[in-house]
Amino acid sequence: YNLLNKPAFTPSSWLFGVVWTVLYVLMGVSVYLLKSSRSYDLATPMQFYYIQLALNFIWVILFFRFGLLWLAAVELALLIVSIVLTMLNFYRINKNAAYLLIPYLVWCCFAIILNISIAVMN
């Protein structure tokens, strides 16, 4: 990653750790709020949640481990779709749980722009 050409709008390295820490805390609180809604069947919303978590993990491997920049961008698009589907399923049960995922969605939208820009430049 350090050897790749990156666009001028690439955040400083330290910011990634801060942002992801905040995002994972928001995701955890979101799931807590969802699970606190005990009168609902949570199987489907949680399946979407776990799918997006898996896609998040896979993106890291594709991008950083294997350097498959374009495949990582496609996979990130799937991640964004899965986040939206997770939010829609959460919204039906607990609106606040869905709203807490908005920063995650926004960050991933920024990430796909950054990912594609890096792919183009390299």
Side-chain angles (χ1 to χ4, degrees), residues 24 55-67 72 75:
Y24 279 118
L55 289 170
N56 188 322
F57 179 73
I58 292 167
W59 179 84
V60 172
I61 294 168
L62 292 174
F63 189 89
F64 289 106
R65 173 68 174 99
F66 294 114
E75 198 273 350

Side-chain angles (χ1 to χ4, degrees), residues 35-104:
K35 289 188 172 192
S36 296
S37 307
R38 298 181 195 271
S39 61
Y40 296 92
D41 179 15
L42 302 179
T44 300
M46 289 308 297
Q47 285 175 342
F48 280 106
Y49 180 78
Y50 293 131
I51 289 168
Q52 66 81 24
L53 272 183
L55 289 170
N56 188 322
F57 179 73
I58 292 167
W59 179 84
V60 172
I61 294 168
L62 292 174
F63 189 89
F64 289 106
R65 173 68 174 99
F66 294 114
L68 299 170
L69 306 178
W70 286 108
L71 184 58
V74 170
E75 198 273 350
L76 192 49
L78 294 174
L79 172 58
I80 290 168
V81 170
S82 72
I83 294 169
V84 170
L85 292 173
T86 300
M87 291 173 69
L88 291 172
N89 277 272
F90 279 28
Y91 188 85
R92 292 183 187 121
I93 297 169
N94 186 309
K95 291 176 178 46
N96 290 329
Y99 295 147
L100 286 172
L101 297 178
I102 292 172
Y104 179 38

Side-chain angles (χ1 to χ4, degrees), residues 21-38:
T21 299
V22 170
L23 293 177
Y24 279 118
V25 167
L26 291 174
M27 290 164 63
V29 173
S30 176
V31 168
Y32 172 79
L33 290 175
L34 188 78
K35 289 188 172 192
S36 296
S37 307
R38 298 181 195 271

